[in-house]
Amino acid sequence: MDGLVKSKIPHERSLIALFKSSPSSSSLSSSTTTATTSSSSSSWIQVLHSLSPVPTGSKVLHEGDPSDTTNSSSEQTRSQIVENEATQGVGFIDAFFGQSGMEWRDVEKRFDQVARTGRSTEPVVRWSEFGFCIGMQSSPEFANELLSALRGGENWKHKITKADLYNLWFRMKDNSFNSRMRIFFDMCNRNKDGRITETDIKQTILLTASTNKLSVTHDEAENYASLIMESLDKKNKGYLEISQMGSLFKASLSKAHSPMKQVSATTGSTQNVHSSSGDFCEEQEPMSRTEVLFRTYWRRAWVVLLWFLACLGLFVWKFVQYSHRSGFEVMGYCLPTAKGAAETLKLNMALVLLPVCRNTITWLRKHRPINSVIPFNDNINFHKVIAGGIVVGVILHGGTHLACDFPRISESDRSIFRQTIAAGFGYHRPTYTEILATTEVTSGIAMVVLMGVAFSLATKWPRRRSPVLPVTLRRVTGYNTFWYSHHLFVLVYALLIIHSMFLFLTDKLMEKTTWMYIAFPVLLYTGERIFRAFRSGSYEVDILKASLYPGKVLYLKMQKPEGFKFHSGMYIFLQCPQISPFEWHPFSLTSGPQDDYLSVHIRTLGDWSYQIYDLFQEAVLSRSQGCPKLYIDGPYGCAAQDHVKYDILVLIGLGIGATPFISILKDVAKGVQTTEIDHSGLRKCSLTKGPLKAYLYWVTREPNSFDWFRDVMKEISNSTKKQSVVEMHNFLTSVHPEGDIRSALLSVIQALHLAKNGTDIVSRTPIHTHFARPNWFNIFSRLARKHGGAKIGVFYCGPSKLARELTKLCTKFSTKTTTRFVFHKENY
């Protein structure tokens, strides 16, 4: 899955030290939605100056400026800081063994693994194994160019001894900017004449793009090379020298690695957010871990505790009741144990239907008093918890009957049997086989078998058709199998009624209470399904536009049915009769509530999604036949709908997991436009309460993924250009990290292209693309500093592995800072 992140979280003392240190300790680069776009490319010196980091509130110092009151020592200090930041931008060695860089002992160990002894006694490696030794085995072509630059281009294909490798490694580990710049310059300077031509730059760009698995055409590479020459070759010499390349890296990469720009660029909007939200208090003390955990889990805790106490109370009640019945003399404690478990089963068979009554839950979400105490976002998790309770009840009830009660009845003393429970069996002591053949037992066993099938196919591996399963099982598992097997519950509830009507030792109708437990939930669920069937039948939608995106993603723009209203963050169910008239699949709405259409993005991850993609692909390519018929059902609420509770939002999506947040960003951007349009005298006012600031962190593996939401991001960027209320960050994990030599030139081109054209070279939007995985610790620390005392809603859609890490970070920063982070995860 995209963006599985394993950040290294420092010790708690390091966290406190981080907040005491300067903001430059963060590694996150600037990427606000508004980009400074130059209408003319005549003065690139000004652009380069603008790329240099300037502290908030300070003036840009120019040589000879009469207003310059800064002494020469401070100027040298600032120059040294810029050079250090630029040096970090031209790092050479990838992270190795997690977040720690490679050391000589690691290189030496790799050398020993592949070294061989030839005619001489000294071990050597081939020049082609240089990349493996320094940790660049994934980029052999780039490593060869690096070796050629280090060896000066002459006889660079000689074998490498350990002493040679140490000298090369020592040069690469030199932290001085001039040393690292010389190596990079020599890589670009292929004919070793001390001058880099536009052709040299173009070839280096193509090599860098290939190394990072980016698709760059020769024309694009030529344009990027021309951009660099245009910015530096002011005298039209046709070549660049090392001093010119050095100034370019200092300007571009120092900006890219300075978080100060990011903090200061939106300082005004941040102050507005704080001033407009009276709840923020900078003087707050950090909460204790106990308080944070209580605030986070109290709603789940009281619901689960109430459920557990109810089950325990029913079990004890029936246990005590049957301990005083005549059957206790025959079966002992086995009888009250089985009956107590049966009572909990009645409750759980009733409750298990409630979390999947989606229309009811969506309606209850609208009521703030109810929504504030019941965790509707965990409805599926609670459904699973109750299912676990049913499994425990079945084992206790059925296992005790089969292993204890029935053998004791069939082997009981005849006189005791006749005096106690003989009337319930027609005064005939049954054998074990005769007991198993009764209606009560056969219906119970049938229920257990059906529930076992449904429960097994609903677990993670069969539902997702995990590769760990045997091939034969994978063929019969998957989402469709899970969906159809779950509908065996209709037979289970029918058998449950039959089972409850034929009970041993119970003749009174009022003691046969199963129907009392399940009547309301079954009627509610049945009513919901009937309502959904009628509503979806009237919601046949016309396809206005169908687009096919890279990564087998289908975009559907549909006509909005009359009277269809929803809130941002909601989702709908889709049905395609041409595939199956019974299957409904959930998809997040990527259109905003104010749009006059509905849109979804569907990525092919299962049988149904592959089939619908193929159908629309055929329709789009042929253009002669109409699009397949679609029905929709919804809308339904989910965790993302709670974004309205917060003034500050952090939206984290991995791959296609960004879809639930697109409509939220549109809604926030639309709120800005509403604020600007509606005036009351001289003071602007907002008609609706909503988030005042939103951050999107989108992590994806493939650069083509940015095509999915390119138009949306451009639209949001343009609508919030005046007020920076939406800040979007793209992370491309297939590219080497910023600061690696293999991506250093890309970072330079990014900065120049964004300054001149206002678009990023990777995403083709005004949103800057970061390379490699996010450092979530640094991101949260920056947010905590920027929004001290605020309550930030963190919404996540993606794999559970990262969800656990984000949950820990929310707890850590809520306890160590005055900012409170509240985590929400999407569950469908």
Side-chain angles (χ1 to χ4, degrees), residues 89-93 136 142 146 180 183-184 187 208 737 739-745:
V90 199
F92 284 86
I93 306 304
M136 282 191 183
F142 200 96
L146 176 58
R180 294 192 173 187
I183 298 175
F184 184 79
M187 284 188 62
T208 302
D740 191 294
I741 188 175
R742 289 166 286 186
S743 62
L745 189 58

Side-chain angles (χ1 to χ4, degrees), residues 599-614:
S599 65
V600 294
H601 288 71
I602 303 173
R603 188 173 187 183
T604 50
L605 296 174
D607 299 339
W608 188 89
S609 57
Y610 271 103
Q611 291 175 359
I612 196 170
Y613 182 88
D614 291 339

Side-chain angles (χ1 to χ4, degrees), residues 52 160 187 205 213 238 241 265 288 356 399 412 446 467 496 520 588 590 620 666 710:
S52 300
I160 306 173
M187 284 188 62
I205 291 173
K213 301 179 178 61
E241 296 178 346
S288 65
V356 290
S412 62
L496 180 62
F520 175 74
S588 299
T590 53
V620 170
K666 285 185 175 182
R710 178 173 297 154

Side-chain angles (χ1 to χ4, degrees), residues 90-137:
V90 199
F92 284 86
I93 306 304
D94 261 358
F96 191 66
F97 297 136
Q99 293 293 324
S100 58
M102 284 187 67
E103 300 296 340
W104 166 246
R105 62 177 179 273
D106 304 316
V107 179
E108 188 177 23
K109 182 178 179 181
R110 287 179 167 234
F111 177 90
D112 294 336
Q113 291 177 4
V114 296
R116 62 191 59 80
T117 304
R119 296 178 181 178
S120 62
T121 58
E122 187 175 8
V124 294
V125 297
R126 293 192 297 267
W127 62 269
S128 58
E129 295 169 330
F130 173 73
F132 172 79
C133 292
I134 66 171
M136 282 191 183
Q137 65 273 14

Side-chain angles (χ1 to χ4, degrees), residues 572-756:
I572 59 173
F573 280 88
L574 283 181
Q575 183 218 78
C576 181
Q578 196 168 337
I579 300 176
S580 171
F582 304 107
E583 292 185 45
W584 292 86
H585 294 264
F587 296 98
S588 299
L589 286 166
T590 53
S591 53
Q594 300 86 3
D595 295 332
D596 57 357
Y597 62 89
L598 302 178
S599 65
V600 294
H601 288 71
I602 303 173
R603 188 173 187 183
T604 50
L605 296 174
D607 299 339
W608 188 89
S609 57
Y610 271 103
Q611 291 175 359
I612 196 170
Y613 182 88
D614 291 339
L615 289 176
F616 276 93
Q617 183 181 41
E618 184 179 352
V620 170
L621 296 179
S622 64
R623 296 186 180 182
S624 57
Q625 59 182 19
C627 293
K629 182 186 298 185
L630 287 181
Y631 291 97
I632 66 171
D633 176 45
Y636 295 102
C638 58
Q641 191 180 344
D642 289 340
H643 72 276
V644 296
K645 299 179 180 179
Y646 305 94
D647 289 321
I648 310 296
L649 300 180
V650 175
L651 312 174
I652 302 173
L654 271 59
I656 200 64
T659 50
F661 309 131
I662 299 300
S663 63
I664 295 178
L665 293 176
K666 285 185 175 182
D667 211 14
V668 174
K670 186 67 176 178
V672 174
Q673 293 177 335
T674 303
T675 303
E676 292 181 341
I677 292 173
D678 296 288
H679 296 76
S680 177
L682 299 176
R683 187 172 63 89
K684 296 181 180 179
C685 66
S686 178
L687 299 181
T688 58
K689 179 71 169 64
L692 303 175
K693 181 76 175 180
Y695 299 88
L696 173 68
Y697 297 92
W698 183 22
V699 185
T700 184
R701 182 185 300 123
E702 301 296 334
N704 290 334
S705 302
F706 296 123
D707 294 349
W708 304 345
F709 308 116
R710 178 173 297 154
D711 294 337
V712 175
M713 289 191 170
K714 288 181 179 178
E715 175 188 345
I716 295 173
S717 298
N718 294 331
S719 62
T720 61
K721 188 171 295 186
K722 293 183 179 180
Q723 298 186 25
S724 182
V725 297
V726 176
E727 187 174 309
M728 294 181 282
H729 301 260
N730 296 331
F731 290 85
L732 185 59
T733 61
S734 63
V735 178
H736 293 286
E738 294 170 346
D740 191 294
I741 188 175
R742 289 166 286 186
S743 62
L745 189 58
L746 289 176
S747 299
V748 171
I749 298 172
Q750 265 190 321
L752 292 177
H753 197 274
L754 189 63
K756 180 181 180 181

Side-chain angles (χ1 to χ4, degrees), residues 220-265:
E220 289 175 331
E222 188 173 340
N223 291 335
Y224 298 152
S226 176
L227 181 62
I228 293 178
M229 294 296 294
E230 181 184 354
S231 64
L232 296 178
D233 187 18
K234 295 303 180 181
K235 297 181 180 180
N236 296 323
K237 294 180 179 179
Y239 62 86
L240 301 177
E241 296 178 346
I242 188 170
S243 59
Q244 294 170 296
M245 288 294 291
S247 64
L248 178 64
F249 272 87
K250 285 182 180 180
S252 301
L253 293 180
S254 62
K255 171 185 180 285
H257 287 264
S258 174
M260 182 67 72
K261 176 66 170 60
Q262 187 170 21
V263 175
S264 62

